[in-house]
Amino acid sequence: MAVANSQCLKCKVELHNHLDGALRAETVVSLARSKGIELPVDNARQLKEFISCENNKERSLKKFLEPFSIFIPAISGDSEALRRCAIEFCEDQANQGVLYTEVRYAPQLLTCGKSNYNNNMKDSELTSEQVLLTILDGLAEGCQRYGIKVRSILCCLRQNPDSAIETLELCKKYHESGVVGIDIEGNEREYDIRPGDEFCKAFQEARRFGIHRTAHAGEAGTAENIRQCLDWLKAERIGHGYQLIQDEDLFERVKKERIHLEVCPTSSLLTGSCPGFDNHPAKRFIAEDLSFSINSDDSLCCNSGVADEYKLVYNTWGYDVSVLTRATFNAAYSSFLPEKEKQLLIDELQQVYGASL
C-alpha cells in the first residue's frame, strides 16, 4: 500500500481520470486471489507490465480498453472492493499532489461480479445506485483521510443507449451529494450519436436540470464528433479533443467559446489518437491559448499518474512552469464545482502559486 505523504504540496487539479482505470495493481492481484479469479500473471509487478499499453504494437482505443476485462472482475459487484478502491484513489491522488479532482465512472459496468464475505465466495450483484453510493461513501472517507476534494462524473456508455436515462436519473438524484456532471464514453468510430437519440435526450435534460456536461470526443473519432457533442449534447468540456485540428472553423469556435479540452498526453499516444509528441495537437492548444488541462486518463493502463503527465509536459515537451500553472488554473475555472466552491478552490490555488490567471 502506498503511504500518504502529508508533506506533499497539493497544487494540481485533474478533471479527466477514470476510477476503474486508476486501480492499484496490488489491489487487483489481492482481490483476484481472494476470489479465485485467474489472472494472466503472478504478481503486481507483472500485472503492471502486462496491462501497460506501452507494450502494445497496435495502438488503438479498442486495444487500449482490452485490459479492463482483466481487472474489472476483481472489483465489480463487490461493495467492499469498490469502497476500498475509492479510498485508495484519494490516497493516490493526494500523493500525486492533487488538490481537487473529478473522477468518472459508469456504475452500470461495476454491478456484477464475485464477493468474498467471511471466506464465503458467492456471485454478487449490486444495482447501479448501490455502486454509486458505495463509491461516494469511499470517496468521502478518502477525502477526509487525505485532505483532498473529489467529485464524481457519471458516464453513459456509447455501446449501451439504455444507460443514458438511468445515468441521468442518478446524476439528478445525487447532484448535491458528490455528483457534479455527466459524460459519454466509448468508441466514437463504432457507436454514433444521433439527434434525438437517448444520449441527446439525457444530456439536454441534464442541461435543463443544471447538471454539467462533458463528452469524450475527437479521440478515436473525428472533429465532427466534437461538433456533434457541442451541438447535440451541449457539452461544456471535451475529453481529449485532439482531432479538433482537422477543422479550422471548429477550432476557432472552441477557442472563442472557451470550451475546455481535457488533454491526456500519455494516453493520446497509447490509444493511437496522436502519432507522437513532436506535433501533438495540445501544443497548438497551448500556443493559441485554448482552455486545456493536463490529465492522466487511466493511470494503471498508462503507467502514469497526473504528476507524471505534468513532468512530461515540462521535461519532454519543454514547456515552462507558467504553462503548467495555466493548465491548473484552466482546470479550476472549468471544473464542475458550484460557483462558491469553485472560487474557494481558485483562492486556494492562488495562495499556493501566488498568481492569478
Side-chain angles (χ1 to χ4, degrees), residues 106-157:
Q108 295 90 343
L109 289 180
L110 302 171
T111 56
C112 300
K114 291 183 179 295
S115 58
N116 186 359
Y117 298 103
N118 298 320
N119 296 317
N120 181 23
M121 184 60 57
K122 63 179 181 179
D123 292 332
S124 62
E125 183 171 351
L126 303 173
T127 65
S128 296
E129 185 170 16
Q130 287 172 329
V131 168
L132 174 58
L133 287 171
T134 298
I135 293 173
L136 290 176
D137 180 66
L139 293 175
E141 174 66 24
C143 287
Q144 185 175 7
R145 285 190 196 180
Y146 304 112
I148 66 169
K149 178 176 284 190
V150 181
R151 296 293 182 264
S152 293
I153 295 174
L154 304 187
C155 297
C156 302
L157 306 168

Side-chain angles (χ1 to χ4, degrees), residues 33-294:
R33 284 176 177 167
S34 72
K35 300 178 182 186
I37 297 174
E38 185 175 349
L39 295 174
V41 294
D42 295 326
N43 56 53
R45 180 185 60 79
Q46 292 174 349
L47 183 65
K48 288 179 182 179
E49 293 175 356
F50 187 86
I51 287 176
S52 174
C53 297
E54 293 176 314
N55 302 321
N56 289 346
K57 293 182 180 179
E58 174 195 342
R59 293 195 167 180
S60 66
L61 181 60
K62 185 176 182 179
K63 191 71 175 176
F64 181 85
L65 295 175
E66 285 180 359
F68 281 76
S69 64
I70 297 173
F71 52 78
I72 291 300
I75 65 169
S76 189
D78 186 338
S79 58
E80 288 188 358
L82 291 168
R83 188 175 187 278
R84 170 182 173 178
C85 290
I87 293 171
E88 290 178 350
F89 174 82
C90 295
E91 183 178 14
D92 293 340
Q93 288 293 92
N95 286 335
Q96 291 278 315
V98 173
L99 180 62
Y100 172 71
T101 189
E102 291 173 3
V103 64
R104 61 189 71 191
Y105 46 93
Q108 295 90 343
L109 289 180
L110 302 171
T111 56
C112 300
K114 291 183 179 295
S115 58
N116 186 359
Y117 298 103
N118 298 320
N119 296 317
N120 181 23
M121 184 60 57
K122 63 179 181 179
D123 292 332
S124 62
E125 183 171 351
L126 303 173
T127 65
S128 296
E129 185 170 16
Q130 287 172 329
V131 168
L132 174 58
L133 287 171
T134 298
I135 293 173
L136 290 176
D137 180 66
L139 293 175
E141 174 66 24
C143 287
Q144 185 175 7
R145 285 190 196 180
Y146 304 112
I148 66 169
K149 178 176 284 190
V150 181
R151 296 293 182 264
S152 293
I153 295 174
L154 304 187
C155 297
C156 302
L157 306 168
R158 281 180 177 266
Q159 65 271 30
N160 182 11
D162 293 338
S163 70
I165 298 302
E166 181 185 24
T167 303
L168 168 67
E169 292 305 318
L170 290 173
C171 288
K172 290 168 67 174
K173 187 172 182 178
Y174 295 99
H175 80 287
E176 294 183 348
S177 304
V179 176
V180 294
I182 191 170
D183 180 25
I184 181 172
E185 65 178 3
N187 196 321
E188 307 154 82
R189 290 183 178 179
E190 296 181 3
Y191 304 101
D192 290 333
I193 58 172
R194 299 180 183 278
D197 69 8
E198 294 304 304
F199 299 117
C200 292
K201 292 176 184 176
F203 271 69
Q204 289 166 12
E205 173 62 18
R207 184 190 187 197
R208 286 190 291 269
F209 198 80
I211 295 168
H212 290 291
R213 302 155 311 281
T214 184
H216 283 69
E219 181 184 20
T222 66
E224 182 58 26
N225 295 117
I226 300 173
R227 189 190 309 278
Q228 291 170 359
C229 289
L230 296 178
D231 290 344
W232 302 343
L233 303 183
K234 306 303 180 184
E236 302 162 85
R237 298 191 331 223
I238 294 293
H240 305 291
Y242 314 116
Q243 310 315 321
L244 179 64
I245 60 172
Q246 297 174 349
D247 187 321
E248 289 301 319
D249 289 340
L250 185 61
F251 188 97
E252 289 303 317
R253 174 186 172 186
V254 167
K255 180 178 180 180
K256 181 179 179 180
E257 296 181 9
R258 301 301 290 172
I259 303 297
H260 184 82
L261 302 168
E262 304 159 357
V263 173
C264 307
T266 298
S267 82
S268 71
L269 266 63
L270 301 182
T271 59
S273 301
C274 303
F277 285 146
D278 288 345
N279 296 301
H280 197 281
K283 293 185 176 181
R284 187 175 172 197
F285 302 164
I286 295 169
E288 300 204 24
D289 196 28
L290 272 66
S291 179
F292 73 96
S293 56
I294 301 169

Side-chain angles (χ1 to χ4, degrees), residues 289-326:
D289 196 28
L290 272 66
S291 179
F292 73 96
S293 56
I294 301 169
N295 307 275
S296 62
D297 199 6
D298 297 286
S299 57
L300 181 55
C301 297
C302 296
N303 194 27
S304 177
V306 69
D308 301 305
E309 302 294 336
Y310 270 69
K311 290 175 184 176
L312 186 156
V313 172
Y314 183 81
N315 293 322
T316 304
W317 289 10
Y319 289 101
D320 62 21
V321 173
S322 67
V323 169
L324 305 183
T325 303
R326 189 188 347 154

